[in-house]
Amino acid sequence: VSASIGGSGQGGAAAEAFELLTFEEVWQEQGLAAASGNEVAVKTLRRLVCFLTDAQSRQRVVEVMKELAPQTAVIFIAQDEAAADDLQDRYRVRRGDGASYRQALSGIRAVHGEVDAVLYLWALEDAKCLREPVIAVHILQAMAASGLRCDRLLLAGAYGDELERCHLESWIGFERSLRRGWPQTRLAVIGQERGLAVEQWLPRLWAELQADKIESAFYRDGKREVCRIRARALESSASLLRTGGSYLISGGCGGLGLVVAEHLARTRGANLVLLGRSGLDDAKRQAIAGLEKFGSQVVYVQADVCDRGALAQGLEVAEARFGALHGVIHAAGINEGGSVFEKEAVRFEAVLAPKIEGTLVLDEVL
């Protein structure tokens, strides 16, 4: 992030002075501040929608909620694979079917009117849901389409390792992107290491629902941590880039990829492996020729970063030419507009694929 500390002088062509400021995101301990007027908050939460499938877990949640807030009615939504005789309500959805979410939430609105909060707990009972952020898309789209108003929405998840935590942390993107686009519902992600039964989460989630400020929080060793941005000085001015080194750039002929490629070619004379999904055309050949004018050698590999076989085969060709890689810049991505409320699930997943699956495949192949 650059902060301007000077302006152009009269005449308009004077260069501006800038100070380089660098920041990092960190998780830091912060206790949960109680809501002002706690009794009022409890009374306000009259209807709570809970995405939970297991019959025994639902029963225990009902029992806990009777102790926490007996005036709050809990409305469950289960996955369709639940046995019919285990389901004591009419609300079931098929996990990958957006229309079934809309039908369920429309039914809740017709019978109950507005609800005060929604808890998404499927990821506590089914670890596969951690890798399916599209479920949150279905929920949000169904809320908007059905007109079901809700003040607070918590997405809860338990993780068993750091990779699962990465998947869970990625859901924070919903919180950040919805702040302005959909301010009527405040969304947050609540995470913790795996080990607690679903009903043991309830007191903690209930406290989060009643907080004055709804924000994502992760619990570690019983302590609550929130994500904050703080200033961070660069530890060293020495570059890790090697002169004459070999670098792979996924999305290498895209806008961002070519900016990085030109920098590496111009300042380091780097050997460049440019990875892209489409074949070579005149525009790509012209861009590659421009890089080679700086003295770089360039290999273009046509492969989808999510295709392990094609990626491995292409990198074998690159390794035969340049030897070992000295760095990877993962710039592959799909640039597609539209809000989460407009995007079909298949397009949403297509946008995420190179950034999530592509990163995992790159790590595995290399």
Side-chain angles (χ1 to χ4, degrees), residues 12-246:
E16 288 188 279
F18 287 89
E19 178 186 4
L20 180 65
L21 305 176
T22 53
F23 301 84
E24 66 176 347
E25 286 191 321
V26 296
W27 288 93
Q28 65 182 36
E29 184 179 348
Q30 179 173 305
L32 183 63
S36 58
N38 190 56
E39 294 181 1
V40 176
V42 172
K43 184 178 180 180
T44 301
L45 296 180
R46 298 160 298 170
R47 287 179 287 274
L48 174 67
V49 173
C50 184
F51 284 79
L52 191 63
T53 301
D54 180 72
Q56 292 183 351
S57 295
R58 292 199 307 271
Q59 182 58 40
R60 289 194 292 267
V61 165
V62 170
E63 294 169 356
V64 172
M65 286 303 301
K66 285 181 179 179
E67 298 179 3
L68 291 172
Q71 66 273 52
T72 301
V74 183
I75 306 161
F76 290 103
I77 298 179
Q79 295 189 54
D80 195 47
E81 54 262 31
D85 55 357
D86 284 342
L87 202 57
Q88 299 175 357
D89 51 59
R90 64 171 66 89
Y91 305 113
R92 290 189 290 178
V93 302
R94 293 176 295 281
R95 195 157 79 191
D97 179 10
S100 66
Y101 291 77
R102 294 191 294 273
Q103 182 178 0
L105 294 187
S106 294
I108 290 174
R109 182 173 183 268
V111 174
H112 302 280
E114 295 183 5
V115 301
D116 301 294
V118 175
L119 293 180
Y120 169 63
L121 306 184
W122 284 354
L124 301 183
E125 58 184 355
D126 185 351
K128 294 191 294 295
C129 292
L130 284 175
R131 296 174 178 264
E132 298 183 24
V134 72
I135 296 175
V137 174
H138 288 316
I139 294 173
L140 291 169
Q141 290 179 341
M143 289 175 65
S146 66
L148 183 70
R149 297 188 62 84
C150 166
D151 181 59
R152 300 187 171 194
L153 167 60
L154 294 186
L155 309 178
Y159 58 92
D161 55 35
E162 290 303 311
L163 178 56
E164 286 187 340
R165 173 159 178 153
C166 286
H167 282 286
L168 185 57
E169 283 190 19
S170 74
W171 296 1
I172 297 174
F174 291 114
E175 175 192 17
R176 295 179 177 179
S177 61
L178 289 176
R179 285 174 184 168
R180 295 183 179 179
W182 210 45
Q184 65 266 37
T185 297
R186 287 168 286 180
L187 181 151
V189 180
I190 308 299
Q192 180 171 298
E193 293 174 331
R194 194 172 295 146
L196 291 182
V198 172
E199 67 272 14
Q200 292 175 298
W201 279 74
L202 258 294
R204 182 165 291 164
L205 294 174
W206 186 249
E208 294 283 351
L209 280 176
Q210 296 183 69
D212 281 331
K213 181 181 180 181
I214 291 290
E215 64 178 335
S216 294
F218 278 61
Y219 287 81
R220 188 195 302 268
D221 299 327
K223 298 178 181 179
R224 181 177 183 270
E225 298 177 344
V226 296
C227 193
R228 292 289 182 263
I229 296 175
R230 69 182 181 189
R232 165 75 181 270
L234 296 178
E235 296 177 355
S236 173
S237 60
S239 175
L240 297 177
L241 298 174
R242 304 188 187 193
T243 298
S246 299

Side-chain angles (χ1 to χ4, degrees), residues 233-299:
L234 296 178
E235 296 177 355
S236 173
S237 60
S239 175
L240 297 177
L241 298 174
R242 304 188 187 193
T243 298
S246 299
Y247 295 92
L248 166 67
I249 305 175
S250 68
C253 284
L256 179 58
L258 283 176
V259 169
V260 177
E262 182 178 336
H263 175 75
L264 292 175
R266 180 166 40 82
T267 64
R268 299 292 171 176
N271 301 315
L272 300 174
V273 182
L274 305 183
L275 176 69
R277 291 186 301 162
S278 57
L280 277 174
D281 55 21
D282 290 341
K284 291 185 180 66
R285 292 188 180 92
Q286 184 176 355
I288 290 172
L291 297 173
E292 291 175 336
K293 289 181 180 179
F294 293 107
S296 286
Q297 299 184 67
V298 182
V299 168

